[in-house]
Amino acid sequence: MNQDVHTLCHGRPVAVVGAGLVGAGWAIVFARAGLRVKMFDTDPRVLGNATPLIESQLGALRRHGLIDEEPAAVLARIAPAATLAEAVEGASYVQESVLERVDVKRELMIALDALLAPDAVVGSSTSGIPGSAFALDLSISPRVLIVHPVNPPYLVPVVELVPSPQTAQASVRSTDALMQAVGQTVVHVRKEVEGFVLNRLQAVLLREAWALVQEGVVSCEDVDKTVRDGLGWRWSFMGPFETIDLNAPGGVADYAVRLGPLYQRIADSRSHAEMWDAGLISQVEGQRRQHLSHDELESRRAWRDERLMEFAAARRRGES
Amino acid sequence: MNQDVHTLCHGRPVAVVGAGLVGAGWAIVFARAGLRVKMFDTDPRVLGNATPLIESQLGALRRHGLIDEEPAAVLARIAPAATLAEAVEGASYVQESVLERVDVKRELMIALDALLAPDAVVGSSTSGIPGSAFALDLSISPRVLIVHPVNPPYLVPVVELVPSPQTAQASVRSTDALMQAVGQTVVHVRKEVEGFVLNRLQAVLLREAWALVQEGVVSCEDVDKTVRDGLGWRWSFMGPFETIDLNAPGGVADYAVRLGPLYQRIADSRSHAEMWDAGLISQVEGQRRQHLSHDELESRRAWRDERLMEFAAARRRGES
C-alpha cells in the first residue's frame, strides 16, 4: 500500500491545514500509510496540542493491533509547520479542516491559490458547506473538492468526495486513488446536495426517531436498542441496499414490489413541518441524562472510541 | 438464565405455531434457553422441513460458539405436534408466526381462544399487522400482543412489543420478562403505528436512499458503503440517540441546537410524493445485479448469516 501511496504523491509530502480533532485525525491517516505530513494551524495552542493528542491516539491504535509500527515511528513522519507556506511547500495534496465558516474557508483558498504547486489537489473536510460556496473562480478551483470524513477518520473509513461544478474529473480520480491507498472507503457524491449523502441518511432516520419520541410511541433508549440490537447489525457490514436485496426471494426488485407500498405509506405519514422544539429537546435531553449524566459524557466518548477500535479490529479480521 | 426461564414459564412448555423460517428461528430461541418447545404448522411439509433446518442452524451456532450445548441436546427439547391442540396444551406462552394475513391470524386467535390455559400469553410475529386487526373482543384479547422479531430471531436479538388497546399491561410485563430471560432485547412500542418502530426507521432511510439514487446523486453501492463503512459503525453498538449525544460537547440538546436546522432543511427537501416507479426499481435492480447475480443471492444469504454470527460472537466477547 505504502509504495502505492508514495507513487501517487510523487514522493512528496501531504499537508494538513487546521490541526483540531479532525485535522489531527487526518494526520494519522496519512502518516500511518507511510506519507510525510506537514501540519499547520493558525492557532499555535491548537497546533501545540495536536502532537500529544496524535501520540495518545497512535498508542491506542497500537494496543488494538491497528497499526504495525511503533507509535513513535508514525509520529516521526508528522511535522508541525510554523506557517501555511511552510506546510504546503512541495505538497502534492492538502487536506483542510479549518473552522466550518464560508469566509474562513474562502480566505484559505485564496491563500492556497498563491502557494500551491500547479498539480496539488485540495480536499476540504467540511460536513456541510459545498465547494461552490468557497472554492470557485480561482486558478486552483479545478483542483479543489470536498473530502468529507467521519470523525475520527483514522477509525471510520468512509469519505464523501463531492466535486464543485468547477472541479476537474482528474482531481476526483487522483483523490479517489489516494484515499483508497491510505485505507479510506470512497463514496462519490455526484451533485452538491445539502448534507451530502451520509448526513442526509442520518437526518431522515433521526427525524423519524425524534417524531416517534414526541408522539410517545417509543423512548430514546428503545430507539437506540432497535438500531443497536436490530437494524444496525446488517447495516454494519452490508448497508441498506444489500440488506433488502437479500431479504426478498427474488432480490431488491422483488422486495420493492412487496414492501414499497408500506414504505410509501410510512413516508406519506410524515411532513416534518415542525422543527424540534424546546419542549421536545428537553424531553430527549432528559431521557438521555437518565442514562448518562453530563459528567459522564467524556468518559463515554473514550468508551465509544475503544469500541470503534474493537469493531475496526474485528472487521479487519473478518475481511482478512 | 434458564432457572429464571423455567420459573417464568411455571415449568411449562412454550408453543411455536407456524414452523416456517421465523417459527423455526423462534423454536431455537426458546429451546437454547432450556425451555421445552412444541411446534406446529398446518402444512405437514413445512413442519417436516423445520427439524432438519433447525438442526443445521444449531450446528452453525455451535461452530461459532454461540450455544454451549451440543445441537442434539437443544434439538431434543423441540417436539413437533400433530395438531394445534396438542401443540398448545399446557403451554404458558405461544409465539405465532403464521401467514401474514389478517384472516389467517384472526382464525388462529379464535382457535387459540378455545384451547389456551387461562394464563397463557400469545405473541404474534407479524411485522405489519396491528393486534387491533385480528386480536380484539376475544377472552384471550388481554393476553395477545405483537412480539415482532428480526429474522432470524436467534441471531438478531431485538423484539418489538406492541400491545393492542385490549392487551393487559400484565401480559406486556410477563412477555418482557420472558423475552429478556431467553436473551432477546425488548423494545416497547406504546402505540399501534404502521411499521412499528424498526421498519419505520428503515423505511425513512430507504426512502431517502432510493431518492438519492433516482436523482443521480449517488449509486446504490456507494449508499451501502456510506452506511457499512460509516454510519453503521456507531449505530451497531450505540444507536442513533447515543451517537448524537456523544457528538456534541454538551450532549444531545447541544447537538439539536447545532444541527437541528440542517436536519430540518433536509427533511423539508423531501415530500416523497411519488412511489418507487418501475424505472427506478429496474435501475436499482440493475445496479445490484452488477454486484450480485440472481444465482448468487442464496450463497450470499449464507455469507450474511455467517457474518451475523461472527458479529454476535464478537458482541458477546465485547460485552463479557
Side-chain angles (χ1 to χ4, degrees):
Chain A
M1 178 166 91
N2 298 8
Q3 174 52 39
D4 205 359
V5 151
H6 293 298
T7 316
L8 288 165
C9 296
H10 318 290
R12 288 151 54 188
V14 299
V16 163
V17 177
L21 268 177
V22 176
W26 273 116
I28 291 174
V29 168
F30 295 123
R32 75 176 166 189
L35 292 168
R36 284 177 298 124
V37 178
K38 292 193 291 181
M39 188 167 60
F40 175 72
D41 198 287
T42 50
D43 184 336
R45 286 163 310 156
V46 172
L47 188 60
N49 294 336
T51 302
L53 172 67
I54 289 169
E55 193 163 18
S56 71
Q57 290 167 331
L58 287 170
L61 288 171
R62 181 65 170 167
R63 281 198 303 282
H64 285 273
L66 291 167
I67 52 173
D68 304 325
E69 295 178 287
E70 287 306 320
V74 178
L75 191 63
R77 287 192 288 270
I78 303 171
T83 65
L84 178 64
E86 182 191 327
V88 303
E89 187 187 3
S92 58
Y93 179 81
V94 179
Q95 183 74 39
E96 77 82 7
S97 310
V98 301
L99 195 61
E100 193 77 342
R101 255 174 47 196
V102 172
D103 59 334
V104 175
K105 291 195 186 285
R106 178 66 180 178
E107 191 182 335
L108 174 62
M109 291 303 136
I110 290 164
L112 291 174
D113 198 36
L115 292 169
L116 291 188
D119 64 344
V121 171
V122 180
S124 168
S125 299
T126 180
S127 60
I129 308 175
S132 298
F134 64 88
L136 300 186
D137 307 327
L138 300 168
S139 65
I140 58 166
S141 297
R143 293 177 282 123
V144 179
L145 72 160
I146 307 304
V147 181
H148 173 228
V150 173
N151 195 35
Y154 60 84
L155 287 181
V156 185
V158 77
V159 290
E160 296 183 281
L161 266 49
V162 193
S164 84
Q166 293 182 0
T167 305
Q169 272 310 306
S171 305
V172 176
R173 281 193 301 272
S174 67
T175 306
D176 181 326
L178 174 62
M179 286 297 143
Q180 291 198 52
V182 298
Q184 302 307 97
T185 298
V186 174
V187 167
H188 289 278
V189 182
R190 303 196 194 109
K191 296 175 184 173
E192 291 182 325
V193 290
E194 181 139 43
F196 309 139
V197 170
L198 186 142
N199 279 325
R200 289 188 75 86
L201 295 176
Q202 178 168 228
V204 293
L205 185 135
L206 283 172
R207 285 291 311 187
E208 182 62 25
W210 283 73
L212 289 167
V213 170
Q214 183 163 36
E215 293 162 349
V217 171
V218 69
S219 69
C220 293
E221 174 60 13
D222 279 5
V223 165
D224 279 353
K225 285 181 184 174
T226 303
V227 175
R228 187 176 70 213
D229 293 339
L231 279 174
W233 284 47
R234 293 188 178 91
W235 284 352
S236 71
F237 63 88
M238 293 194 298
F241 276 111
E242 182 164 16
T243 295
I244 64 174
D245 196 31
L246 300 184
N247 274 356
V252 67
D254 184 20
Y255 185 95
V257 170
R258 290 169 186 247
L259 283 143
L262 168 66
Y263 291 170
Q264 182 66 39
R265 291 194 301 275
I266 291 171
D268 291 345
S269 71
R270 292 287 177 215
S271 72
H272 292 314
E274 65 297 321
M275 276 282 287
W276 296 336
D277 63 25
L280 175 58
I281 290 173
S282 64
Q283 184 185 345
V284 169
E285 169 80 1
Q287 287 191 35
R288 279 300 306 160
R289 295 290 74 79
Q290 285 173 21
H291 294 279
L292 191 75
S293 74
H294 269 293
D295 301 346
E296 296 168 316
L297 279 167
E298 204 43 57
S299 59
R300 189 69 173 174
R301 290 190 184 102
W303 166 87
R304 172 197 64 195
D305 291 345
E306 287 288 311
R307 293 304 303 268
L308 280 171
M309 281 185 280
E310 290 166 11
F311 191 89
R315 275 278 286 255
R316 178 180 283 197
R317 283 194 304 273
E319 285 161 2
S320 63
Chain B
M1 177 164 89
N2 298 8
Q3 174 51 42
D4 206 357
V5 152
H6 292 297
T7 316
L8 288 164
C9 295
H10 318 291
R12 288 151 55 190
V14 299
V16 163
V17 178
L21 267 177
V22 176
W26 273 116
I28 292 174
V29 168
F30 295 123
R32 76 176 168 190
L35 291 168
R36 283 176 299 123
V37 179
K38 292 194 290 182
M39 187 166 62
F40 175 72
D41 198 288
T42 51
D43 184 337
R45 287 163 309 156
V46 172
L47 188 60
N49 295 337
T51 301
L53 173 65
I54 290 168
E55 194 164 17
S56 72
Q57 289 168 332
L58 287 170
L61 288 170
R62 181 67 169 164
R63 282 198 302 282
H64 285 274
L66 291 167
I67 53 173
D68 304 326
E69 295 177 286
E70 287 307 320
V74 179
L75 192 63
R77 287 192 289 270
I78 303 172
T83 64
L84 178 64
E86 183 190 328
V88 302
E89 187 188 3
S92 60
Y93 180 80
V94 178
Q95 182 74 39
E96 77 81 7
S97 310
V98 299
L99 195 61
E100 193 78 341
R101 256 173 46 195
V102 172
D103 59 333
V104 175
K105 292 193 186 288
R106 179 64 181 178
E107 193 183 332
L108 175 63
M109 291 304 136
I110 290 166
L112 291 174
D113 199 34
L115 293 168
L116 290 188
D119 64 344
V121 172
V122 180
S124 168
S125 300
T126 179
S127 59
I129 308 175
S132 299
F134 64 87
L136 300 187
D137 307 327
L138 300 168
S139 66
I140 58 167
S141 297
R143 295 176 281 124
V144 179
L145 69 160
I146 307 303
V147 181
H148 173 228
V150 173
N151 196 34
Y154 60 83
L155 287 181
V156 185
V158 76
V159 290
E160 296 182 282
L161 267 50
V162 194
S164 85
Q166 293 183 1
T167 306
Q169 273 308 304
S171 305
V172 176
R173 280 193 302 273
S174 66
T175 306
D176 181 327
L178 174 61
M179 287 296 143
Q180 291 198 53
V182 298
Q184 303 305 98
T185 298
V186 175
V187 166
H188 288 279
V189 182
R190 303 195 194 110
K191 296 174 185 173
E192 292 182 325
V193 290
E194 180 140 44
F196 309 139
V197 170
L198 185 140
N199 280 325
R200 288 188 75 87
L201 295 176
Q202 179 168 228
V204 293
L205 185 134
L206 283 171
R207 285 292 309 189
E208 182 62 25
W210 283 73
L212 289 168
V213 169
Q214 183 164 36
E215 294 164 347
V217 172
V218 68
S219 69
C220 293
E221 173 60 13
D222 279 6
V223 165
D224 279 352
K225 284 181 185 175
T226 302
V227 175
R228 187 174 72 214
D229 292 341
L231 280 173
W233 283 48
R234 292 188 177 92
W235 284 351
S236 70
F237 63 88
M238 293 195 298
F241 276 112
E242 182 165 15
T243 295
I244 64 175
D245 196 31
L246 301 184
N247 273 357
V252 67
D254 184 20
Y255 185 94
V257 171
R258 293 168 185 246
L259 283 141
L262 168 67
Y263 290 170
Q264 182 67 39
R265 290 194 302 275
I266 291 171
D268 291 345
S269 72
R270 291 286 177 217
S271 70
H272 291 315
E274 64 298 319
M275 277 281 286
W276 297 336
D277 62 25
L280 175 59
I281 291 172
S282 63
Q283 184 185 346
V284 168
E285 169 79 2
Q287 287 191 36
R288 279 299 306 159
R289 295 290 74 80
Q290 285 173 21
H291 293 280
L292 190 76
S293 75
H294 268 291
D295 302 344
E296 295 169 315
L297 279 166
E298 204 42 57
S299 58
R300 188 68 173 176
R301 288 189 185 102
W303 166 87
R304 172 197 64 195
D305 291 346
E306 286 289 310
R307 293 302 305 266
L308 279 171
M309 282 185 279
E310 290 166 12
F311 191 90
R315 275 277 287 254
R316 177 179 282 197
R317 284 194 303 272
E319 284 162 4
S320 65

